[in-house]
């Protein structure tokens, strides 16, 4: 199985900060990567797919980049609504696998 | 408005069985591949199974292969997960989610607790 490793596990930041979350795949997944946001008690919400395509309705402060084994999710200016846990997911090879998540919390 | 609603969760003893359902509305389920994703309490997400739109193809994570069976009834706009030989480590919120690669629509989840 392809292992997805996210870093950091927890990120403390202030409103207005630019934050970068990392996701590394254990093998080449080309651009087969999605990012999700999850808030406590809620289902995950798709933010980005194919590594860099913004899902409809998602604010443009979110962006994704990378290919192969290294990927990043950037929030250009952190908003109060963005404090949540973020997961990456690879869909290049079955079984689809998720990273362990990065929790973005208020500093 | 697209809505996916899971049901069928609950408390079950180890070794027992349970059948989860996912009903879709505002959404022609027959056009989409469907998935089950679970999340153990306080843990991350784990994809466990999917089924093609025609139900011809299914895939499973090794953790549930041979114990869980995914199925669908497009006429009823529903997807199912038959779970058997349940273990304590199957305790989780189970979400259904649409998509062949990534998951655009999610239900609110149903909690399965495996405990004696």
């Amino acid at each position: 199985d392809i292992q997805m490793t996210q870093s950091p596990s927890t990120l403390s930041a202030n409103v207005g900060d630019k934050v970068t979350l990392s996701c590394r795949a254990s093998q080449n997944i080309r651009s087969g990567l999605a990012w999700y946001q999850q808030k406590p008690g809620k289902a995950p919400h798709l933010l980005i797919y194919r590594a860099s395509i913004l899902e409809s309705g998602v604010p443009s402060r979110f962006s994704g980049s990378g290919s192969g084994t290294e990927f990043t999710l950037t929030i250009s200016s952190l908003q109060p609504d963005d404090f949540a846990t973020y997961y990456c997911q690879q869909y290049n090879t079955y079984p689809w696998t998720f990273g362990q998540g990065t929790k973005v919390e208020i500093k | 408005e697209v809505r996916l609603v899971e049901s069928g969760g609950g408390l079950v003893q180890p070794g027992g069985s349970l059948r989860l359902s996912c009903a879709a509305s505002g959404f022609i389920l027959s056009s989409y591949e469907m998935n089950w994703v679970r999340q153990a309490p306080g843990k991350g997400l784990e994809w466990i199974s999917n089924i093609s739109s025609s139900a011809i193809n299914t895939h499973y994570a090794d953790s549930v292969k041979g114990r869980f069976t995914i199925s669908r009834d497009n006429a009823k706009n529903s997807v199912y997960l038959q779970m058997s030989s349940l273990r304590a480590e199957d305790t989780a919120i189970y979400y259904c989610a649409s998509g062949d690669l990534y998951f655009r629509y999610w239900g609110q989840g149903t909690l399965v607790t495996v405990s004696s």
Side-chain angles (χ1 to χ4, degrees), chain A residues 46-64:
Chain A
L46 177 67
L47 298 174
I48 284 169
Y49 59 94
R50 214 179 297 166
S52 62
I53 300 176
L54 197 66
E55 170 69 349
S56 176
V58 174
S60 59
R61 62 181 180 272
F62 291 92
S63 64

Side-chain angles (χ1 to χ4, degrees), chain B residues 66-97:
Chain B
R67 301 187 299 122
F68 290 11
T69 302
I70 192 171
S71 62
R72 66 192 298 158
D73 185 337
N74 288 336
K76 293 184 178 179
N77 234 27
S78 294
V79 179
Y80 309 98
L81 187 69
Q82 178 67 48
M83 306 186 295
S84 60
S85 302
L86 283 161
R87 307 164 180 166
E89 55 264 36
D90 295 318
T91 294
I93 296 171
Y94 285 73
Y95 296 100
C96 66

